[in-house]
Every structure is written in structure tokens, then in C-alpha cells.
Amino acid sequence: MSLLFRALVLVAALVSAAPALAQSQYVEFSDTLPDATPARTIAIDRVVGTGPEAVREQYVVIDYEGWVYDLAAPARKGAKIDSTKDRGYPLSVMAGLNRMITGFDRAILGMRVGGKRTLVVPPRLGYGNREAYGVIPPNSTLIFDVELLDVVPQQNVR
């Protein structure tokens, strides 16, 4: 093979791997909850969906419940901070564009409709060292149970 052809193959491989590399700096998949604050969001697939995949710049419809991560609490779910289930309607938001906290936003990418995932979001990918909404203390690790209900491709409007 020529050197030019090898270089083109390498560039193509890197470009196709870019989304996975970008996600890996934010998300780590695991089978168990961490015993300490993780460096990246921990994603635990509870149910792997079979429907369309959540990708960047598509609207996702999700149900979620969130708590402050507490090692001493049952299932490590401390004080509840938010819940679409308590509000009675799901959240519809464009994924992958930082319209949610970074750790949550990146960790729902790749889910398929029908999927359920538990996320453990460290402070640096959540609300950091600031208090949020009067219920989230500064430097809080958060835990979310998320279900992907639907994916709606973005429509071009003319």
C-alpha cells in the first residue's frame, strides 16, 4: 500500500471514531455504582432499548428522576432534586447541545428508545461549586434514572 493510501485510511478511521472519543471524555460505562465521586459521568444501562438511537441535534423525549448522590442512602439516592414523573409530563429537549447539564446531556447519547439508564454525574459535569435551584448543594454528585421515550429527528423548516 502506498503511504498516501495508509494516511487516508488512518484519517478516515479517526474521523469515524470522533463521536466515541468525544463521548469518552465525559462518559464511562459501568455495571455498578461508584464508591466515590467519579471523574466522568458513570452510565449504567438497566434496559437496552431497541428503538431509534438518541444522537446529537435530535429531540429526545425522556422521563427522569434525580437525586443528590449519597453513599449512605438506599440505592445511593439522597434528597430528590427533580422528576418529570412528579410533574406528570416528560422532557423534550435537543440532545448533545448542552441544553442540560453536560454529564446528563452526553450520557443520553447512544441510548435507544425503550432504554433505561442510571447516570452518576460528578460536580464538574453537573452544577459545579454552585448551589442550584435551592435544592442542589454546591459540589454535589448527582444520580439520575432516565428512560428514553422517543427520538424525533430535527425537521428542516422552509
Side-chain angles (χ1 to χ4, degrees):
M1 273 197 248
S2 75
L3 184 58
L4 178 60
F5 181 73
R6 288 181 189 174
L8 289 174
V9 169
L10 177 61
V11 168
L14 290 174
V15 168
S16 67
L21 292 173
Q23 186 174 1
S24 68
Q25 71 179 329
Y26 297 106
V27 181
E28 176 182 332
F29 287 85
S30 180
D31 294 330
T32 60
L33 294 170
D35 292 328
T37 300
R40 295 179 284 199
T41 296
I42 301 297
I44 302 168
D45 281 320
R46 303 293 186 189
V47 174
V48 176
T50 58
E53 182 178 342
V55 298
R56 190 173 189 276
E57 297 185 4
Q58 285 187 333
Y59 282 96
V60 294
V61 181
I62 56 175
D63 255 337
Y64 70 89
E65 293 183 286
W67 302 265
V68 173
Y69 195 69
D70 182 348
L71 289 172
R76 301 193 180 160
K77 296 172 181 175
K80 188 179 253 188
I81 58 169
D82 196 11
S83 172
T84 58
K85 293 179 181 193
D86 291 349
R87 285 195 298 270
Y89 55 89
L91 173 68
S92 177
V93 64
M94 194 173 285
L97 299 178
N98 293 324
R99 300 214 170 132
M100 301 172 278
I101 58 173
T102 302
F104 191 109
D105 190 37
R106 296 304 193 277
I108 62 172
L109 296 175
M111 285 183 75
R112 293 190 171 276
V113 171
K116 295 180 181 183
R117 193 173 272 180
T118 297
L119 312 176
V120 179
V121 180
R124 76 176 189 89
L125 298 174
Y127 294 100
N129 62 3
R130 67 186 192 278
E131 179 182 343
Y133 308 106
V135 295
I136 303 171
N139 298 309
S140 289
T141 299
L142 306 174
I143 183 169
F144 295 93
D145 286 336
V146 181
E147 180 178 4
L148 182 59
L149 303 174
D150 199 5
V151 173
V152 182
Q154 187 175 10
Q155 303 283 322
N156 288 331
V157 179
R158 294 183 185 191

